[in-house]
Amino acid sequence: MNAPGASGSLPVIRAHYADILCQLAGEHDVLRGPLLTSAGIRPSMLSHPDNLITVDQFTMLCREALRRSGHSALGLEFGRRLKFTTHGSLSQAAISCDTLQQALSVLIKYFRIRFEYMDLDFFVEGEDAVVQLSLAHEVEDLYRFNIEVVMASLMDVNQLLFGARLIESGVCRLDYPEPEHARDYRAIFGDRVDFACGVNQLRFRKSFLDLPISLSNPVTRRVAEAQCEEELRSIDAATSVTARVMRVLESVRGGSLPGLEAVADQLGVSPRTLRRQLSSEGARYQVLLDRIRHKRALELLRRGRLGIDEIAVTLGYSDPSNFGRAFRKWEGVAPTAWRARHLPGR
C-alpha cells in the first residue's frame, strides 16, 4: 500500500484513527463514503483497528473532513475523541509506570508508533516540566489542526494521570494566533492557554513528576513496552532510507543541521553506502537538507524572535546572503517580506 511522497509512502497510521475521524465528521453531516473516497481509502480498510493507512491518506482525510464539515474546531473535537485507551499498547505502557516522569518518558520514546509525523519532547525548565510538540510534516494548511488534535488528546492523558491539577497550576502555550474558536480551547485547558508564543507546550510544576501512578504494574508495563518495541521495529524495517534520513534531520533542535557523514554514522552505515541508498530511492542528501532548512526557516520566521542573519547561522549558512537567495527560491520573496506577511497580528 503505497502513496506518493517520501513522508507518506509508509503505512504508519492505524486505521481506527481514521474511523474515529469519520464518525466525528458524520456528526457534522459529512458523508462517510465520499469522504473516504476523497482520501483514497477503501472502506474495508477501517474494518479492523490494526489495519494501516499511509500518512498521505490520513492527511487528505483530515483536510477533507475539515473542509467538508466547515467546523473550525474539528481538530480539538477529534483530539478529545482520542481517549487514552485509543492508543493501545502505548497507553498501557505509560499508565503502568511508577511515576509521572516515567510515564512521560515512555510516551516520548514510543510516540511515533502512533503519530509518525510529529515529535514530542520532554524537559525541565526552571520550576516547570515541559512537554513540547513539533511537527515533522510539511502540511501548512493542517498545521493548527494537527497541533489541536495532539494537545487535546494529551489533556486526556494528563487528566487520567493527575486529574485537574494541570489546569489549576499549568499552562498550554501555542505558537499560532488566537483562533476564532478560542472558547473551545478554554473548555479543554481552562483559562490557562496562551497564543502566539512561538512554541507548542504543556507546562506544569516539575514537582508533579514524582507523583505515583495508582495503576502502576511492572509486569503490565514490561508486556506493553515489548509490544511498543515490536511496533517500532516494524516501522523502522518498513521505512525508506529517505524517510529515516528525514527523521534524523527533523530531530535536530538547536544547533546546526548535520552533514551526510554524521547522519550516516547515526544510521550505522558508511557515507558512501548512504549516498547509494538515497540514490536508489531517487533522493539526494542536499535536497533533503534543503527541505528541512526551508521548513525550519518558516518556523523561525513565524516566531519572530531571531533576526534574519541569526536564522541564517542557525540553519547552517555561513553567509546570510546565501540564505536569502535560497529562501527567495523557495517562497518567491525575501525572508523579511515573508515574515511581514505572516507574523501574528500582521
Side-chain angles (χ1 to χ4, degrees), residues 43-341:
S44 61
M45 289 304 299
L46 307 190
S47 63
H48 194 285
D50 288 336
N51 285 341
L52 301 166
I53 60 175
T54 69
V55 170
D56 280 349
Q57 288 172 319
F58 188 67
T59 295
M60 183 58 72
L61 187 73
C62 293
R63 179 180 291 117
E64 286 297 309
L66 189 60
R67 184 183 68 82
R68 294 173 186 231
S69 69
H71 185 49
S72 61
L74 192 69
L76 292 175
E77 250 189 87
F78 183 32
R80 297 184 79 171
R81 295 290 177 95
L82 301 182
K83 298 301 183 183
F84 196 56
T85 52
T86 304
H87 310 302
S89 57
L90 175 61
S91 304
Q92 192 62 61
I95 203 170
S96 301
C97 290
D98 295 332
T99 65
L100 176 60
Q101 182 158 7
Q102 288 181 2
L104 286 172
S105 296
V106 166
L107 287 174
I108 300 301
K109 182 177 181 180
Y110 298 113
F111 188 70
R112 71 186 183 93
I113 69 175
R114 292 295 177 264
F115 297 97
E116 169 70 14
Y117 53 91
M118 301 187 191
D119 290 320
L120 199 64
D121 297 308
F122 165 69
F123 53 90
V124 173
E125 189 173 85
E127 294 302 309
D128 288 344
V130 184
V131 178
Q132 180 167 294
L133 176 69
S134 55
L135 295 189
H137 177 31
E138 302 168 7
V139 184
E140 189 75 16
D141 63 319
L142 288 177
Y143 181 80
R144 190 184 70 197
F145 176 88
N146 283 323
I147 298 297
E148 288 179 340
V149 170
V150 176
M151 286 301 196
S153 182
L154 283 175
M155 281 304 297
D156 185 66
V157 176
N158 293 325
Q159 291 281 9
L160 185 60
L161 293 178
F162 52 89
R165 280 172 289 186
L166 176 68
I167 292 179
E168 294 167 358
S169 63
V171 64
C172 175
R173 294 181 179 175
L174 300 166
D175 74 348
Y176 44 82
E178 182 171 322
E180 60 184 27
H181 55 282
R183 70 177 183 276
D184 294 292
Y185 283 81
R186 295 185 173 89
I188 299 173
F189 305 104
D191 291 328
R192 304 184 67 83
V193 54
D194 298 324
F195 297 95
C197 296
V199 291
N200 299 299
Q201 297 176 340
L202 288 174
R203 304 176 73 98
F204 54 92
R205 294 176 188 166
K206 70 177 183 181
S207 57
F208 286 0
L209 294 174
D210 295 324
L211 289 174
I213 295 178
S214 60
L215 296 177
S216 171
N217 186 315
V219 175
T220 302
R221 178 184 174 184
R222 283 198 297 272
V223 172
E225 281 207 66
Q227 292 174 343
C228 290
E229 286 287 350
E230 181 60 33
E231 291 187 54
L232 203 56
R233 283 194 295 270
S234 297
I235 289 174
D236 287 339
T239 301
S240 67
V241 174
T242 300
R244 291 170 63 195
V245 169
M246 288 293 287
R247 175 156 289 280
V248 171
L249 293 174
E250 287 160 345
S251 69
V252 177
R253 295 288 165 179
S256 298
L257 292 164
L260 181 140
E261 291 76 12
V263 173
D265 183 64
Q266 192 164 337
L267 295 178
V269 297
S270 70
R272 182 177 179 181
T273 297
L274 181 56
R275 285 192 187 92
R276 186 176 67 249
Q277 290 173 335
L278 288 172
S279 179
S280 70
E281 295 178 1
R284 289 193 303 116
Y285 183 78
Q286 188 60 48
V287 173
L288 302 181
L289 183 63
D290 285 344
R291 187 184 301 174
I292 296 298
R293 281 174 163 170
H294 181 193
K295 176 186 174 184
R296 197 70 51 81
L298 298 182
E299 292 175 357
L300 294 172
L301 287 167
R302 188 184 292 110
R303 291 174 185 175
R305 294 180 176 180
L306 299 179
I308 303 302
D309 288 359
E310 292 175 294
I311 291 175
V313 172
T314 299
L315 296 176
Y317 290 94
S318 57
D319 184 347
S321 63
N322 290 336
F323 168 58
R325 281 192 291 271
F327 193 86
R328 281 190 289 273
K329 183 178 178 181
W330 296 329
E331 294 291 326
V333 295
T336 49
W338 192 94
R339 168 176 273 174
R341 295 178 187 172

